[in-house]
Amino acid sequence: MSRFNGHAVWITGGGSGLGAHMAHEFARQGADVAVSGRRRDRLEAVVAELAQYGHRALAVPCDVTEEASLANAVEAVVAAFGKLDVVVANAGFSVGGRIEKLSADDWRRQFDVNVVGAAITARAALPELRKT
């Protein structure tokens, strides 16, 4: 039996990079995996790749800076998988460039996604995680 056999996993930022790699690893280890992000096409591409592992996979578009979007994502994952066992708040990005060229809004946007987004992702998922 694989480590995550029968578990329901939700990964934000799951449409590319580290999030997509984690989705593959969780699925390889037996989990049903939902991936979230803002780009539906990338999410659906990851879900198509996950089919090779023989477990359920779900694309759930979501913006981690919007509480309603997170609540809807949790609801969609639970509706599809019946539960939620693991959440990986992976959505994030970095601003780049010369500091004198970056605006305060650039930094605020990064902080909102990387810090506030992670916190409110956990808060949105916590009631379902407590059940499992």
Side-chain angles (χ1 to χ4, degrees), residues 40-65:
R40 180 181 288 278
D41 59 326
R42 288 187 179 185
L43 300 174
E44 290 175 353
V46 171
V47 166
E49 294 168 359
L50 297 179
Q52 68 182 305
Y53 303 105
H55 305 286
R56 295 177 292 177
L58 178 68
V60 183
C62 176
D63 183 334
V64 299
T65 65

Side-chain angles (χ1 to χ4, degrees), residues 10 66-68 70-71 74 87 89 116-130:
W10 174 42
E66 297 178 6
E67 293 178 80
L70 288 165
V74 170
V87 174
V116 177
I120 63 177
T121 296
R123 185 178 66 196
L126 200 54
E128 293 301 326
L129 292 173
R130 284 186 172 134

Side-chain angles (χ1 to χ4, degrees), residues 45-109:
V46 171
V47 166
E49 294 168 359
L50 297 179
Q52 68 182 305
Y53 303 105
H55 305 286
R56 295 177 292 177
L58 178 68
V60 183
C62 176
D63 183 334
V64 299
T65 65
E66 297 178 6
E67 293 178 80
S69 184
L70 288 165
N72 290 338
V74 170
E75 185 177 306
V77 173
V78 173
F81 299 156
K83 63 180 181 170
L84 181 57
D85 298 299
V86 177
V87 174
V88 180
N90 172 70
F93 74 99
S94 63
V95 295
R98 299 178 58 92
I99 196 162
E100 62 267 14
K101 300 285 186 183
L102 295 171
S103 70
D105 285 341
D106 293 329
W107 295 107
R108 285 186 188 103
R109 188 170 45 93

